[in-house]
């Protein structure tokens, strides 16, 4: 009598992961159709397209070159015309003006260009969700991997930034892959694994300079491996002496080739010095009603609490308790080579870099840390669920349901998401700039004006897009990036002020200070405050 095979689940973990990635892509992709182009988003697309048309990629040097290639290719292929190179002296300072000209000034179809480039970001966001699942499953199990991917897939900021053609999401994907590749190479120093890790690190370094954190991560991994006992292994030491030059050569050659044969890496290091100088000098920051140049060391912890669902913080407490129980009974050498090592080092060292940063203008800078954090949370929660009673698992399921609900109820404006901690406080009293208000509200403003029969508004806009490109008639008010002068001398009844400008952080003289005491008649896209001149009543 043959043994009866165990029944197989209708949906395997792999299929569930693919379904999860599909849900993520639909949510992020459909949301991006309902938001206007964001402030810095136009740069890589337009300047990259110009680079392919002229061979000059130097207009942007405070970011590495790869982002221009990734977003410039679809922009180059979908643009019919390019701004003249003869009548304008395009340079570093005029890149926003070049982007405006390419999208709205020479007869192109801007929506086609914008959406083609945003598809690149969407692909990277989806790959980050899938990459989190596959890399975690290999070492920590399918259940943990699926939960980690699910936490990441419903993270409001990843959904938002995956619809923005910028380099934060590609950096998150690159850092995730690079850290796991480094961990695999350090454990087994075969040339093939070292080469893969070096290539991944080089590509990630060419996405965004924040990837220099891979250096400290690699050093920490080597120290962990050596202290675990590998330092006494002569074969491992010999392999290490061969791996170091191989790694360095591959990183160098990859960067040099991506910079089109710049063998001295002059442009790469010039950009690194530029971004280092601006970072050390600090930038205007805003948090909970306060303004400051250079921000605060606690900016990212507070912003993290404001920009993630409360349910995620509950999972953090659960994971901390589970982690303490496990670590308390183990030996320290075992933890140095634990399968969770890449997630621990990736999250910990990137967090350290964030806390030391003086650029506190957007939670998006913390996005590359989030896949690692979700892996660690999933590991702790999965351990509690497997060891707990049915009631415990039901409670954890309820927490996850509230996590998903908190995110999806903000559709399609994931970028302006704020958690329940901010309830009762206006956006301009809590968190602004690219954390919440990055110029994404013009599509919604156009719909609002049509629904209310409003023909023209007085507009203070925090963004680089031209509002007339979205069919909005307006009289310009003082903004961070100057809007073109009005074609009429009218004084519209309705004022529309972006939340970031309402704080006074980027508007000279704080011209909208009095409006902070006035209740708006409406808030469009959760970021654009509409005031009626006929009813400016203080709150």
């Amino acid at each position: 009598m043959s043994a009866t095979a165990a029944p197989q689940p209708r949906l395997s973990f792999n299929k569930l992961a693919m379904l999860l990635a599909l849900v993520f892509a639909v949510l992020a992709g459909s949301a991006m159709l309902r938001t206007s182009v964001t402030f810095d988003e136009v740069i890589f697309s337009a300047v990259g397209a110009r680079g392919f048309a002229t061979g000059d990629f130097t207009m942007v040097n405070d970011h590495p070159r790869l982002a221009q290639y990734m977003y410039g290719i679809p922009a180059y292929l979908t643009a019919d015309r390019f701004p003249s190179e003869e009548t304008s002296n395009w340079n570093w300072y005029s890149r926003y003006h070049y982007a405006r000209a390419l999208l709205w000034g020479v007869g192109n179809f801007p929506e086609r260009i914008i959406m083609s480039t945003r598809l690149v970001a969407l692909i990277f966001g989806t790959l980050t969700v899938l990459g989190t699942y596959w890399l975690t499953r290999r070492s920590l199990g399918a259940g943990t991997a699926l939960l980690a991917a699910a936490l990441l897939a419903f993270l409001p900021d990843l959904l938002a930034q995956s619809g923005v053609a910028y380099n934060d999401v590609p950096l998150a994907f690159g850092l995730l892959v690079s850290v796991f590749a480094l961990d695999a190479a350090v454990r087994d120093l075969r040339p093939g694994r070292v080469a893969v890790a070096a290539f991944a690190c080089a590509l990630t370094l060419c996405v965004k300079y924040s990837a220099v954190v891979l250096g400290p991560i690699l050093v920490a991994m080597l120290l962990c491996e050596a202290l675990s006992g590998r330092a006494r292994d002569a074969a491992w030491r010999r392999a290490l002496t061969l791996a170091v030059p191989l790694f360095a050569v591959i990183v160098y050659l990859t960067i040099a080739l991506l910079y089109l044969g710049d063998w001295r890496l002059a442009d790469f290091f010039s950009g690194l010095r530029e971004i280092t100088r601006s970072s050390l000098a600090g930038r205007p920051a805003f948090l909970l009603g306060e303004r400051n140049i250079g921000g605060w060391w606690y900016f990212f912890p507070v912003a993290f609490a404001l920009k993630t669902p409360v349910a995620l913080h509950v999972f953090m407490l659960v994971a901390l308790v589970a982690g303490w129980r496990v670590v308390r009974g183990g030996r320290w050498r075992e933890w140095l080579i634990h399968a969770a090592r890449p997630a621990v080092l990736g999250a910990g060292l990137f967090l350290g870099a964030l806390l030391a940063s003086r650029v506190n203008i957007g939670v998006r800078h913390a996005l590359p840390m989030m896949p690692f954090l979700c892996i660690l949370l999933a590991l702790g929660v999965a351990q509690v669920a497997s060891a707990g009673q049915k009631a415990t698992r039901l409670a954890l399921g309820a927490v996850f349901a509230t996590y998903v609900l908190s995110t999806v109820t903000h559709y399609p404006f994931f970028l302006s998401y704020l958690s329940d901690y901010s309830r009762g406080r206006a956006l301009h009293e809590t968190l602004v700039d690219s954390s919440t208000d990055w110029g994404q509200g013009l599509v919604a403003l156009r719909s609002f004006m049509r629904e209310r029969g409003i023909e023209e508004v007085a507009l203070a806009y925090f963004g680089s897009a031209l509002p007339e490109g979205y069919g909005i008639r307006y009289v310009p008010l003082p903004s961070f990036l100057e809007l073109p002068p009005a074609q009429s001398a009218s004084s519209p009844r309705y004022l529309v002020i972006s939340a970031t400008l309402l704080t006074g952080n980027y508007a000279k003289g704080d011209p909208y200070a009095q409006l902070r005491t006035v209740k708006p008649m409406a808030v469009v896209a959760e970021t654009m405050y509409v005031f009626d001149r006929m009813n400016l009543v203080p709150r």
Side-chain angles (χ1 to χ4, degrees):
M1 186 177 189
S2 61
T4 303
Q8 297 295 318
R10 292 184 179 180
L11 285 176
S12 67
F13 283 108
N14 290 352
K15 290 180 179 178
L16 287 172
M18 296 299 293
L19 179 61
L20 178 67
L22 177 62
V23 171
F24 171 85
V26 170
L27 280 175
S30 59
M32 77 182 186
L33 296 174
R34 300 178 63 179
T35 57
S36 52
V37 64
T38 56
F39 203 126
D40 294 330
E41 177 180 6
V42 295
I43 295 304
F44 292 133
S45 305
V47 175
R50 176 180 179 267
F52 284 107
T54 65
D56 179 13
F57 290 94
T58 61
M59 191 183 293
V60 170
N61 73 334
D62 51 347
H63 289 277
R65 191 69 60 81
L66 189 53
Q68 289 189 55
Y69 299 159
M70 294 188 301
Y71 294 116
I73 288 174
Y76 174 72
L77 294 176
T78 52
D80 297 318
R81 302 175 182 86
F82 291 87
S84 173
E85 296 290 330
E86 297 178 359
T87 58
S88 299
N89 183 24
W90 302 114
N91 54 43
W92 190 93
Y93 297 100
S94 61
R95 49 188 174 177
Y96 288 102
H97 299 293
Y98 182 88
R100 282 178 167 179
L102 176 70
L103 291 172
W104 297 287
V106 293
N108 286 317
F109 183 27
E111 289 298 316
R112 184 174 63 185
I113 297 174
I114 292 167
M115 289 308 158
S116 68
T117 59
R118 284 183 163 186
L119 284 175
V120 176
L122 182 61
I123 290 171
F124 273 104
T126 306
L127 287 175
T128 305
V129 172
L130 288 173
T132 299
Y133 171 76
W134 287 110
L135 293 171
T136 306
R137 173 167 185 160
R138 294 175 58 189
S139 54
L140 297 174
T144 298
L146 186 63
L147 178 57
L151 291 174
L152 188 64
F154 290 102
L155 190 71
D157 225 34
L158 184 64
L159 284 163
Q161 297 297 333
S162 295
V164 174
Y166 208 59
N167 57 2
D168 295 300
V169 174
L171 175 63
F173 175 73
L175 202 69
L176 174 70
V177 173
S178 296
V179 170
F180 274 88
L182 286 174
D183 184 70
V186 167
R187 293 176 191 271
D188 183 355
L189 291 169
R190 283 181 291 180
R193 292 195 173 193
V194 173
V196 169
F199 187 61
C201 289
L203 290 177
T204 306
L205 280 168
C206 288
V207 170
K208 195 171 184 179
Y209 286 119
S210 306
V212 295
V213 75
L214 286 167
I217 290 173
L218 174 56
V219 172
M221 283 183 177
L222 288 170
L223 286 175
C224 288
E225 199 70 17
L227 292 173
S228 71
R230 296 295 293 279
R232 296 191 297 270
D233 183 349
W236 186 79
R237 294 198 305 271
R238 286 195 301 272
L240 181 61
T241 60
L242 296 174
V244 170
L246 174 63
F247 185 91
V249 167
I250 292 176
V251 169
Y252 165 74
L253 289 176
T254 302
I255 296 176
L257 289 173
L258 284 172
Y259 274 75
L260 308 179
D262 181 6
W263 304 111
R264 296 189 299 115
L265 302 186
D267 286 344
F268 178 83
F269 285 114
S270 173
L272 182 59
R273 289 191 295 270
E274 173 68 28
I275 197 66
T276 301
R277 280 195 298 268
S278 63
S279 298
L280 292 175
R283 298 183 186 180
F286 179 87
L287 181 66
L288 299 178
E290 296 184 14
R291 290 182 285 169
N292 190 8
I293 299 296
W296 308 262
W297 71 265
Y298 54 82
F299 174 86
F300 283 102
V302 174
F304 172 84
L306 291 171
K307 287 288 294 176
T308 52
V310 175
L312 189 69
H313 312 154
V314 174
F315 279 146
M316 290 179 69
L317 293 175
V318 172
L320 283 173
V321 172
W324 170 250
R325 288 178 177 177
V326 172
V327 171
R328 189 175 53 179
R331 293 181 295 179
W332 67 273
R333 289 187 185 275
E334 295 176 351
W335 299 120
L336 292 176
I337 56 172
H338 192 275
R341 183 174 70 184
V344 171
L345 293 179
L349 291 177
F350 200 88
L351 176 61
L354 287 174
L355 295 178
S357 172
R358 288 177 55 81
V359 180
N360 295 168
I361 59 174
V363 182
R364 60 188 174 84
H365 292 121
L367 195 60
M369 181 185 73
M370 297 310 297
F372 303 117
L373 180 62
C374 289
I375 292 170
L376 296 175
L377 296 187
L379 180 60
V381 171
Q383 289 176 348
V384 171
S386 61
Q389 302 295 322
K390 182 178 180 180
T392 301
R393 292 191 288 272
L394 288 175
L396 292 173
V399 172
F400 179 75
T402 61
Y403 174 74
V404 174
L405 186 64
S406 178
T407 297
V408 298
T409 51
H410 277 76
Y411 176 89
F413 304 118
F414 296 120
L415 184 56
S416 56
Y417 174 92
L418 285 177
S419 68
D420 290 337
Y421 300 132
S422 64
R423 184 169 295 177
R425 301 189 67 173
L427 194 68
H428 64 272
E429 298 171 332
T430 49
L431 197 64
V432 290
D433 209 311
S434 63
S435 293
T436 55
D437 173 31
W438 212 13
Q440 72 272 21
L442 292 181
V443 174
L445 177 60
R446 179 181 62 195
S447 299
F448 174 83
M449 292 173 64
R450 289 174 178 175
E451 292 169 1
R452 300 294 183 96
I454 300 173
E455 294 185 359
E456 189 176 47
V457 296
L459 179 64
Y461 172 57
F462 183 70
S464 60
L466 291 179
E468 59 264 37
Y470 287 88
I472 296 172
R473 290 182 56 190
Y474 66 97
V475 172
L477 296 175
S479 301
F480 178 61
L481 194 63
E482 184 180 357
L483 293 171
Q487 296 181 352
S488 66
S490 62
S491 180
R493 173 178 174 177
Y494 298 101
L495 308 173
V496 179
I497 318 293
S498 291
T500 301
L501 298 175
L502 200 55
T503 67
N505 208 32
Y506 286 117
K508 292 183 180 179
D510 197 4
Y512 311 113
Q514 291 184 345
L515 291 177
R516 292 199 287 270
T517 65
V518 177
K519 182 178 181 180
M521 64 168 284
V523 181
V524 178
E526 302 180 358
T527 63
M528 308 190 81
Y529 287 69
V530 183
F531 300 93
D532 185 349
R533 292 184 192 267
M534 307 293 292
N535 189 28
L536 295 177
V537 180
R539 284 186 284 186

